[in-house]
Amino acid sequence: MLLVLAGLLVFVAGAWLKFSAGPADVDIAVVEKCRAQMDKRGSDAALRDKCEEAAFAHMIIATDAAGAARAISAANENEIGGEALAMFLLGLGAVLTIGGVLVGRRRG
């Protein structure tokens, strides 16, 4: 029973990480620069809203390709790390829960 509870707790923690995480946060100054660029280009509101995503904002305000690639890569690494942790916790929680159920059936 303890194994099942631990599994469910880990599973819920993984699910919370998975579904509460969004795109990486970006500095407010970068967001404002991005929005200014989007205004100059005459973009619609949907594109201006995307300026709150780190990768998109850095892509828009980049002055050279190498700088844009570095900024986008750094933003994506943060997202990938959080996603990997969430998926690991989901898997571990599922395994612990199933293992706990199987052990409980064997005993009783």
Side-chain angles (χ1 to χ4, degrees), residues 20 22-23 33 39 45-47 59 61 77 86 93 105 107:
S20 68
K33 286 180 186 177
D39 289 340
L47 280 176
M59 176 186 69
I61 66 169
E77 281 179 16
R105 283 189 179 180
R107 286 185 183 171

Side-chain angles (χ1 to χ4, degrees), residues 23-40:
D25 292 333
V26 63
D27 184 29
I28 192 70
V30 174
V31 171
E32 292 305 319
K33 286 180 186 177
C34 176
R35 287 184 177 158
Q37 284 287 333
M38 298 308 279
D39 289 340
K40 283 182 189 176

Side-chain angles (χ1 to χ4, degrees), residues 38-69:
M38 298 308 279
D39 289 340
K40 283 182 189 176
R41 296 177 186 183
S43 300
D44 63 356
L47 280 176
R48 287 189 81 240
D49 290 341
K50 286 188 66 87
C51 284
E52 294 182 14
E53 297 175 15
F56 183 81
H58 285 290
M59 176 186 69
I60 295 298
I61 66 169
T63 56
D64 66 336

